[in-house]
Structure formats: C-alpha cells, structure tokens
Amino acid sequence: MARDNGPDWSERGASADGTPRVIVIGGGVGGLSTGVYGQMSGLQTRIFETHVLPGGCCTAWSRQGYIFDYCIEWLIGTGAGNDANRVWRELGALDGKTVRDFDMFNKVVDEDGRSVTFYNDPDRLEAHLLEISPADAEPIRAFCADLRRFVKIELYPFLTPDPLKSVGEKLRTLLKVLPAFRLFWRNAATPMHRFADRFSDPLLRRAFRNIFYQDPETFPVLPYLYNMACAHNRNAGFPQGGSLGLSRSIEERYLALGGILNYRCRVDKILVEDGRAVGVQLKGGARHYADIVVSAADGYTTLYGMLEGKYTSPAIETLYGEMLDKPGILFPAVVSAFVGLTGDFDPDDSHSTTYLLSEEEGRRLPGALQNSIVVQLRSRYSDGFAPPGRAVIHCTYFSDFHYWRRLRSEDRKRYWAEKREVAQFVREFLERRYPGMNERIELVDVASPATTKRYTGNSNGSILAWKAFSDAEDLANELVNKGRMQLPGLKGFYMAGQWVGLGGLIRAASTGRFAMQYICKELGREFRAFESQAGERWHTGKLGPFPQLDKALDKQAADRPARAARGGDAPALHATIV
C-alpha cells in the first residue's frame, strides 16, 4: 500500500524545481500528520518508519482471522462541526467510515458483584448513582451538574499553536473560556482522588477513580467531565476500522497527496552541519538530505540517540533526566490479552467493564500496578474484528515496564512463563464471569510492555507518553509554545508526536499541524489545509496485509483443530506477541 522507494534524496542541494524537502522520522499518527500537512502546503516530504505498518501504537495485528485492535478506546473528534473533527477530515482519517457511539463510558464492578455504570447522559447518570447511594446525593449532583455544563462547551484547541494565533483567534478562545473560567479552574484544581473520597459508598469511592478504565492516579476531575461530555455529544466515538484503520486512512491520504513513505527504515542519526539539521543517516549507513528534519519518534531516542544529547535545555534535561523514570509522570505501560472465541455476547453486556480485584487476584497478574483488570468486548466496537460466528475480547491492566524488560532480557524462559500466566488468569477470570466461555475460547494472545517498546521504540513502553496534568505538562507545553517545537542551538529541526503533545490521538495529530505551521513560517510559505474529498466506503480490505509475527505458532494454531478432533490438544494458551 505504501511507496517504499521514491526519488533519490542521497545528494545535497535543492530539488529540481526548488521545492523545499522535509524528512519526517516516524510513521505514527504524529509523523503521518506532519507529512500530510506538508504535502498540502506544497512541500516535498518523506517519512522513514522502522516498522512495516503505519501508526506506531495506533495499530492492530491479526491471528487466525481475528483482528486485535490495540489502541483506540474512544476518539475525540468523531462528530461533525468542531475543530477536532476538522483535523481528522483534513487527514482523511474518517473517510468513508461509520462511527459507533456508546451510551455509557465504562462500567465498574467490585469483588462482590456490585456495579456502577457511568452513563454519558448526565440525567441518566445522576438517577443511577442516586439509586446506588442516596446518602451521596451532594457529590453526585455536583458531578452531574458540572457534566451538564461541559456538555454545552465546545473547546478543541487543535488547529493552531498559541504563538501563531491571531488576535482574533485568541479573542474568540477567550470569549469561550471566560464564562466557564470558574468551572474549568475548580475541576482542574480538584484531584479525582480527593473528589472520590467525598463519597460514603465504598463502591463509588473506587469506581470514580476508574471511569477511564484504570486509575490514572494524578488526574483532576476536569478530563473526566470533558471526555464524558464529548461522548454524550457523539464526539468521542469509535471509527470503523479501529486503530490500524485510522492509521491506514491517513497513510492513504498522505500517499494520494504525493508523499513518500519508506518502511523498514530505522534512522540512527540526524545529520547536523554548522548548527543546522540537514538530513538523516539510516541503519546500514544510507544518508538522505533535506531542508528540514522533523522527528515524530520517541523523544528520548531522538534527543539522546539520534542527536547524541547535544541540543538540550534545562526543561529538556528535567523532562528526560529527572522525570522519565519518576512514578506518575509517564502514562503507565499496559499488558494486553486478546481472546478469540466462538459465539457472541449477551446484547445487554457492557462493551467495557473494569473489574476491581481482591489483593489475592491482583497478585496473580504479573507486574500489575493496580488490583483491577479491564474487559472490553471489542467485537462491539467495529465490524470485522472477528471471523463470522466469533468474537474478540480485549483484557488490559497497567503494568510495570521494568519488570517485563528485565525478564525479557535476563530470563526469557520466565518471561514466556509469565505471559502464559496472564493468559491462564484471563481464561479463568472470564470463565467465572461467563460460565461456559472456557470451552469457547480458541486462543489467547498476550502483549507485554516490552512488546510495545520493541515495536514502537516508546520509552518505558508507554503508549501515551507524558501524563497530562502531571509535573511534565508545563515543560512539554514550553517546548511547543516557547520553543516552537525546536531545540536550542539547532536550526532546521522540529519535534512532533506524543512526546510533545502529551498523549491522545487528536493531540498527536495536532502536533503535525502545529509543526508544519512553524515550518511554513520559517520557509516563508503559505500553510495550507483542506479536507479530504475521498468518498470510497471503508472496508476491512483497506487494512492491508498484516506482518507475520510468529510463523511457528501460526502453523501450530492452524494444525490445532485436526489434533483437537483426535483428542490431542486443549484450547490455545499461547502468548504469541513477543
């Protein structure tokens, strides 16, 4: 689907027609976005991606006809008529797709089977919570009243970085924010932990912390209200095709605009001459030159690997020196267990449920950071994730990256044993909650935080990089606004992606838009952005071929039905993603 060669950029000098050339490192959503906006603005861009698929963490893989969708749980900007949706339309991310919206954000169930459902509709949510705990009427009504207020607010700052906003743009933003200033300030200043502790009901105290599936621990109340309001307004749905489908659509848009995308190309070094980035050197020694270089790759690898730590600042040193391994600063790594099974689910089953575990159960989950596990019925999210007559479940939990990294590097046998323990726990856990499911399970596929690091290069296996509302936020924003996504002492170089955008796909996409606006200003060219007009209906064939991740295990799985018919094999318990 992508162009893996393209014109020769191995020679210095301007292009034949004088069009500036831009090299982008990394084909995740941030890198693809940078390329798309560069092509729309009349530049020649080229993306170098290490992997064989676009999207970085916004990806999927396939096994025995199942599609295991790894990233999107909800996507801000799926509804029409707002700036977040405009970004996705410009990128072609939603071309030809339907969107599935849910009436609830998440369900939380405790060890005794008591549950609370976080409906997106504030009236329905308030009635449900009051039924659970009338004694907690005061905090319940306060939360739902603020949710009603957020439903009426549309604020999506994803089009232009603050330093480039016109006076009119800044004034319009101010007019939106001022009437709701106290609402924003109060909820941004109130940690969710403190708010949740106001509840007398023990289930509500724990459940509110887990609205976002597991407890982010440092978040204030604000992002919960904002995202639930977006979901209520049908602007935080799940796009057809899921994570890889989103990435493939942006890739298709990029190639249609004339961009060049090279897979299996790892950038080892950013070439610098006289204080200016002039190109990149790939693994193997090949060099490619350009007028501008943008890295949308892992931040630490970019700064201390490709640039050898030569271009930093006190803010950068604090971020990547003091904070990278500090608890609560990075969004936690996750363990994923995908379950493929025959049959379907009860229509009344929640599409997403957080189960609170006992300490004994929590200890069984290798490397777990919290006593909880999230179970999502992914077949409900989009058609095509499972073969006919089958379904997919995605189970996740926050986990310690260093635990898995040490195992994989020092004790590979135990590493695989721990992955099998995850698979076994998931199988037993699902059987207790869905009696008879054990016999329906065809395979369990486990990915660890070490897997994320291997396939994406993300520091500490973190999918969303720096946590918003953490000590890192102001420093990261300083790089975007004060630093204009550049580094001190280095011209012709910019950074994009989640390590400057603070997590979330719309934020990653917006960094590409921001970076290209800064680049156009430097080059004295007009920044241009226009919506995709592609109208072909989405279908699963657009996901393209999936890489072969483990041929031996796939052959074993293919042979399993014949062996099982002879009574020689139990259902799959392998952990195939390494």
Side-chain angles (χ1 to χ4, degrees):
M1 297 180 68
R3 302 171 190 171
D4 283 322
N5 296 308
D8 183 11
W9 286 24
S10 63
E11 298 293 331
R12 295 295 306 274
S15 60
D17 61 359
T19 303
R21 295 184 297 192
V22 179
I23 285 176
V24 181
I25 305 168
V29 169
L32 290 169
S33 172
T34 305
V36 169
Y37 285 111
Q39 292 299 128
M40 285 194 282
S41 298
L43 307 178
Q44 293 182 15
T45 68
R46 185 174 206 149
I47 300 173
F48 291 106
E49 166 58 39
T50 303
H51 197 19
V52 297
L53 293 175
C57 287
C58 190
T59 191
W61 59 90
S62 180
R63 181 75 60 192
Q64 297 183 52
Y66 293 98
I67 294 173
F68 298 146
D69 188 83
Y70 185 60
C71 177
I72 299 176
E73 292 169 321
W74 74 92
L75 185 70
I76 297 296
T78 54
N82 60 80
D83 289 346
N85 182 257
R86 175 179 165 183
V87 171
W88 295 128
R89 294 293 177 189
E90 290 170 349
L91 295 175
L94 304 178
D95 284 352
K97 296 177 179 177
T98 59
V99 173
R100 188 159 295 174
D101 293 293
F102 297 103
D103 292 332
M104 52 159 286
F105 209 91
N106 189 35
K107 183 177 182 178
V108 180
V109 180
D110 71 8
E111 303 92 326
D112 298 321
R114 294 185 70 215
S115 67
V116 54
T117 301
F118 287 97
Y119 296 106
N120 299 314
D121 179 85
D123 295 337
R124 189 178 181 186
L125 176 63
E126 182 174 301
H128 173 63
L129 295 176
L130 288 172
E131 184 178 355
I132 293 173
S133 181
D136 286 310
E138 188 273 327
I140 288 171
R141 290 199 170 102
F143 184 85
C144 293
D146 279 354
L147 180 56
R148 292 185 187 94
R149 296 182 179 102
F150 270 93
V151 164
K152 299 176 182 178
I153 297 172
E154 286 196 357
L155 186 63
Y156 303 103
F158 305 121
L159 294 183
T160 307
D162 286 341
L164 297 184
K165 287 181 178 177
S166 66
V167 174
E169 287 175 312
K170 291 179 179 178
L171 181 60
R172 285 191 293 272
T173 300
L174 189 62
L175 291 175
K176 283 184 179 180
V177 172
L178 273 180
F181 177 78
R182 290 183 62 188
L183 176 69
F184 279 95
W185 180 84
R186 183 177 71 252
N187 286 291
T190 305
M192 175 53 87
H193 277 213
R194 189 196 310 161
F195 180 80
D197 283 343
R198 293 169 58 185
F199 292 95
S200 61
D201 186 282
L203 172 62
L204 294 185
R205 280 202 303 273
R206 299 167 71 191
F208 266 79
R209 291 166 158 84
N210 289 278
I211 295 176
F212 285 170
Y213 311 124
Q214 289 200 284
D215 183 2
E217 295 183 341
T218 60
F219 278 14
V221 177
L222 175 63
Y224 297 91
L225 294 168
Y226 176 84
N227 284 276
M228 291 179 73
C230 287
H232 178 65
N233 290 331
R234 296 296 192 256
N235 195 38
F238 190 89
Q240 187 181 14
S243 306
L244 183 58
L246 188 90
S247 301
R248 283 293 195 196
S249 291
I250 303 174
E251 175 200 52
E252 184 177 354
R253 169 77 161 150
Y254 175 65
L255 297 175
L257 289 166
I260 306 162
L261 180 50
N262 298 123
Y263 289 115
R264 298 185 185 276
C265 291
R266 174 181 171 180
V267 173
D268 277 349
K269 185 177 182 181
I270 295 168
L271 303 176
V272 178
E273 295 179 4
D274 299 324
R276 185 175 185 88
V278 297
V280 298
Q281 180 174 303
L282 305 182
K283 181 180 180 180
R287 294 189 169 198
H288 299 267
Y289 294 91
D291 301 277
I292 300 287
V293 175
V294 180
S295 178
D298 175 71
Y300 186 90
T301 302
T302 297
L303 293 163
Y304 297 96
M306 301 175 197
L307 288 170
E308 301 175 329
K310 295 179 180 179
Y311 305 96
T312 64
S313 66
I316 290 171
E317 292 293 341
T318 300
L319 270 175
Y320 290 93
E322 297 177 19
M323 292 191 175
L324 191 63
D325 291 316
K326 185 178 178 181
I329 299 298
L330 286 187
F331 206 86
V334 299
V335 169
S336 287
F338 288 95
V339 181
L341 65 152
T342 59
D344 206 342
F345 313 108
D346 187 316
D348 294 330
D349 288 339
S350 168
H351 74 282
S352 176
T353 304
T354 298
Y355 290 96
L356 305 177
L357 306 177
S358 66
E359 291 188 11
E360 182 181 356
E361 285 183 307
R363 283 194 295 269
R364 280 197 57 195
L365 286 174
L369 297 177
Q370 299 177 10
N371 290 331
S372 59
I373 188 169
V374 183
V375 177
Q376 296 183 331
L377 311 184
R378 295 299 276 189
S379 305
R380 292 273 179 85
Y381 288 65
S382 181
D383 297 335
F385 283 172
R390 287 168 169 78
V392 175
I393 296 176
H394 187 196
C395 302
T396 59
Y397 65 91
F398 286 160
S399 189
D400 180 6
F401 166 75
H402 299 287
Y403 173 85
W404 291 97
R405 183 190 62 179
R406 284 193 298 270
L407 280 183
R408 195 176 189 282
S409 61
E410 299 173 7
D411 190 346
R412 191 69 61 88
K413 185 177 180 180
R414 187 180 168 204
Y415 173 78
W416 281 95
E418 291 290 73
K419 294 185 77 174
R420 287 192 295 272
E421 174 60 23
V422 173
Q424 183 64 40
F425 178 92
V426 165
R427 179 185 289 278
E428 295 173 4
F429 184 83
L430 293 176
E431 174 65 21
R432 289 197 297 273
R433 278 146 187 82
Y434 301 91
M437 181 172 285
N438 193 42
E439 297 179 0
R440 297 166 51 198
I441 293 176
E442 293 191 316
L443 77 162
V444 181
D445 204 79
V446 179
S448 79
T451 308
T452 304
K453 172 66 175 177
R454 289 186 63 238
Y455 281 95
T456 69
N458 281 13
S459 291
N460 293 358
S462 177
I463 295 175
L464 293 175
W466 308 112
K467 275 187 183 178
F469 307 102
S470 72
D471 292 341
E473 181 171 25
D474 289 342
L475 295 173
N477 285 334
E478 182 179 326
L479 297 181
V480 176
N481 296 321
K482 184 179 178 181
R484 300 198 168 202
M485 304 173 85
Q486 294 184 287
L487 300 177
L490 183 60
K491 297 180 180 178
F493 176 79
Y494 295 81
M495 291 182 70
Q498 290 184 324
W499 291 94
V500 294
L502 280 93
L505 287 173
I506 185 60
R507 288 180 174 272
S510 70
T511 64
R513 204 179 198 276
F514 291 0
M516 196 48 63
Q517 288 175 78
Y518 285 132
I519 289 168
C520 286
K521 186 172 181 65
E522 176 185 335
L523 297 175
R525 299 180 68 92
E526 179 188 2
F527 172 79
R528 294 198 298 262
F530 45 91
E531 293 189 9
S532 170
Q533 299 302 313
E536 182 184 359
R537 187 175 179 180
W538 171 263
H539 54 85
T540 53
K542 286 181 171 288
L543 292 175
F546 288 87
Q548 187 67 54
L549 298 176
D550 194 319
K551 295 180 181 179
L553 283 170
D554 258 2
K555 183 178 186 303
Q556 175 186 337
D559 291 343
R560 184 173 294 108
R563 295 200 304 274
R566 299 191 297 267
D569 213 6
L573 249 183
H574 58 262
T576 56
I577 306 301
V578 297

